[in-house]
Amino acid sequence: MTNEKRLYSPKVMKDVLERHGFDFKKTLGQNFLIDGNIVRRIVKNADINKTDTVLEIGPGFGTLTEELALNAKEVIAIEIDKSLKAVHEDVLKNYDNIKIIYDDILKTDLKELINCDFKVVANLPYYITSPIITNLLRKNLPIENLVLMVQKEVGERICAKAKTKQYGSLSLYIKYFGDAKILFNVPPTVFMPRPNVGSQIVKITPTHEARAIEIEEFETLIKAAFSMRRKTLSNCISKALDISKTDIELILENLGKNKSERGENLNFEEFMQLGIELKRLNANILKKGNKDGR
Ligand code: SAM
């Protein structure tokens, strides 16, 4: 197939969308890729081959979907915008390994839908980046890796290490499930329409490791730890979870940390250790201890 006929061609996209009377919906984060090099680079970085089942979130016009279909065994895509159905029936009709479900990814039962190991590749709708990623990870699905286009600032938070400005509860939440790294930055010029923000491709590789504390407990802890940015960790946790400040300071000292340490100075392993010690103090502390019921 010539490049002029591929879906990333801006001319093809414009013509087809006009023919179908399609209007871009800003509220659904619709910024479609129009750059063949970026599309190929994303798929290459996801290590997609002909034995792979790929889940794509938000196929949009189908630019990335097409490249995935050319490289994978099958592509299962979830798109919330039903007005794209006629477009897909038109532009993706020659691919027999694409299945598109018109639904909200946050409401889709993926366990029911996919019964094998799979990879996730997506140019995410930015307005729900965090819920999509956290939902995918916490469901214990057999995901091999996720290669995702996200807003640049969010990508930096996802992949941040301790003692940096971007480090916080999102970095720790992702780390609970696996390793995250930034692959490359993407400029607004490769999308139609152009977004007002920069983008970034990140790769998350779940480790599928059993953890000593539940994700719900860990989430309570990290939300409490970063609830007041300029306060000490013991102040934040003590206030948010109604635990004695002295107890927290003692745990921190036993972990070899300063008692007036801030959340951003503890790495993932130290947070896990803190959670384990808090539970040792009171088994339900991270379940019921939270005054706000978060
Ligand atoms: N994959 C296409 C591309 O790269 O050109 C489009 C990506 S666009 C940034 C995000 C897509 O996600 C849009 O097609 C949008 O309609 C879809 N979307 C938005 N919210 C969604 C949701 N809750 N569930 C499934 N798809 C959603």
Side-chain angles (χ1 to χ4, degrees):
M1 205 184 306
T2 61
N3 276 358
E4 295 74 50
K5 294 250 172 68
R6 292 291 305 274
L7 300 183
Y8 49 70
S9 152
K11 185 171 173 350
V12 171
M13 188 181 290
K14 243 175 147 226
D15 289 352
V16 175
L17 291 181
E18 251 173 51
R19 184 149 37 87
H20 286 275
F22 176 81
D23 285 323
F24 285 93
K25 295 165 198 75
K26 215 175 164 187
T27 50
L28 290 180
Q30 291 181 341
N31 301 93
F32 299 165
L33 279 166
I34 49 163
D35 185 304
N37 288 328
I38 295 287
V39 168
R40 280 187 290 271
R41 221 171 144 196
I42 294 171
V43 174
K44 201 168 184 326
N45 272 287
D47 302 321
I48 304 297
N49 58 62
K50 279 292 170 192
T51 59
D52 287 326
T53 293
V54 181
L55 168 70
E56 188 194 4
I57 298 148
F61 181 62
T63 317
L64 192 54
T65 325
E66 177 183 57
E67 186 65 22
L68 288 168
L70 290 167
N71 288 279
K73 183 173 87 174
E74 59 172 340
V75 183
I76 299 172
I78 319 283
E79 172 58 63
I80 199 169
D81 186 355
K82 291 187 180 63
S83 78
L84 283 164
K85 191 164 189 279
V87 173
H88 295 151
E89 283 165 359
D90 182 353
V91 298
L92 297 172
K93 59 178 177 289
N94 293 330
Y95 298 93
D96 60 5
N97 60 344
I98 300 174
K99 179 175 173 184
I100 303 183
I101 287 130
Y102 296 90
D103 200 357
D104 180 344
I105 183 65
L106 297 178
K107 295 186 183 146
T108 307
D109 185 348
L110 294 171
K111 277 206 171 116
E112 173 82 29
L113 188 67
I114 313 177
N115 44 28
C116 58
D117 291 2
F118 62 97
K119 293 176 177 169
V120 182
V121 179
N123 170 14
L124 288 178
Y126 293 173
Y127 74 105
I128 43 169
T129 300
S130 294
I132 291 179
I133 300 178
T134 53
N135 256 317
L136 282 172
L137 292 174
R138 76 191 300 153
K139 281 186 184 148
N140 203 14
L141 299 160
I143 299 177
E144 291 173 50
N145 63 50
L146 306 93
V147 171
L148 307 169
M149 175 97 72
V150 297
Q151 189 178 327
K152 187 168 176 283
E153 289 72 19
V154 178
E156 285 166 354
R157 280 169 49 214
I158 288 173
C159 302
K161 302 272 176 282
K163 300 181 184 172
T164 63
K165 202 167 93 222
Q166 291 83 2
Y167 184 70
S169 54
L170 184 61
S171 338
L172 282 157
Y173 190 102
I174 305 286
K175 185 72 188 161
Y176 180 95
F177 293 102
D179 300 314
K181 65 173 178 185
I182 295 169
L183 294 183
F184 55 94
N185 290 336
V186 179
T189 45
V190 302
F191 300 91
M192 186 193 291
R194 289 182 186 183
N196 298 324
V197 292
S199 301
Q200 195 164 74
I201 300 291
V202 298
K203 184 170 191 171
I204 302 172
T205 310
T207 48
H208 301 286
E209 233 175 286
R211 299 286 187 200
I213 58 175
E214 304 288 325
I215 183 58
E216 291 76 14
E217 297 172 324
F218 189 65
E219 198 177 5
T220 303
L221 173 64
I222 56 183
K223 274 188 177 169
F226 292 92
S227 54
M228 297 180 290
R229 199 66 191 182
R230 276 180 299 278
K231 299 268 182 204
T232 66
L233 189 55
S234 53
N235 255 324
C236 290
I237 298 179
S238 156
K239 257 217 148 86
L241 301 182
D242 207 9
I243 307 172
S244 132
K245 196 176 158 203
T246 328
D247 284 345
I248 304 165
E249 287 175 346
L250 205 66
I251 295 176
L252 284 175
E253 283 182 336
N254 286 340
L255 292 178
K257 308 301 285 185
N258 194 310
K259 67 178 183 181
S260 57
E261 204 71 87
R262 286 176 198 207
E264 48 268 43
N265 291 331
L266 261 69
N267 63 26
F268 171 75
E269 287 74 22
E270 289 165 338
F271 264 107
M272 282 300 282
Q273 214 46 54
L274 175 59
I276 292 168
E277 293 306 322
L278 285 171
K279 274 186 77 173
R280 200 165 282 162
L281 212 60
N282 173 344
N284 290 325
I285 220 161
L286 298 174
K287 288 201 170 103
K288 299 182 188 153
N290 190 326
K291 281 193 291 189
D292 301 326
R294 269 179 306 210

